[in-house]
């Protein structure tokens, strides 16, 4: 699959709506990076994964997301 920076940005925005801060990086800004603390409980990890999954689901349904293929470089 080609990089999709629009999807990464949509995921980041949806994460922020859910109180989860993530960073974008990688080629074309198409990588969503988690910034976990050095220590966290199982419950905290589960909450992060749940919020990320919800954000990803919402972002893929977003009408503002670009529907064309990403960069080819």
């Amino acid at each position: 699959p080609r990089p999709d920076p629009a999807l990464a940005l949509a995921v980041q925005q949806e994460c922020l709506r859910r109180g989860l801060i993530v960073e974008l990086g990688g080629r074309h800004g198409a990588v969503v990076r988690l910034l976990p603390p050095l220590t966290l409980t199982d419950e905290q990890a589960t909450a992060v994964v749940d919020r990320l999954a919800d954000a990803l689901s919402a972002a893929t349904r977003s009408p503002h997301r670009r529907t064309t293929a990403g960069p080819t470089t």
Side-chain angles (χ1 to χ4, degrees):
R2 294 196 170 149
D4 193 344
L7 176 58
L9 182 59
V11 170
Q12 182 184 44
Q13 292 168 346
E14 292 295 336
C15 282
L16 285 173
R17 285 188 184 107
R18 289 158 176 78
L20 180 63
I21 298 171
V22 297
E23 192 172 283
L24 299 182
R27 189 170 292 199
H28 308 293
V31 175
V32 176
R33 294 180 176 170
L34 298 176
L35 306 168
L38 292 177
T39 60
L40 72 159
T41 65
D42 288 342
E43 292 82 15
Q44 290 170 324
T46 298
V48 168
V49 170
D50 289 346
R51 289 178 189 188
L52 181 60
D54 290 345
L56 182 57
S57 180
T60 58
R61 294 188 313 263
S62 172
H64 304 291
R65 192 175 154 258
R66 186 180 68 217
T67 57
T68 59
T72 59
T73 52

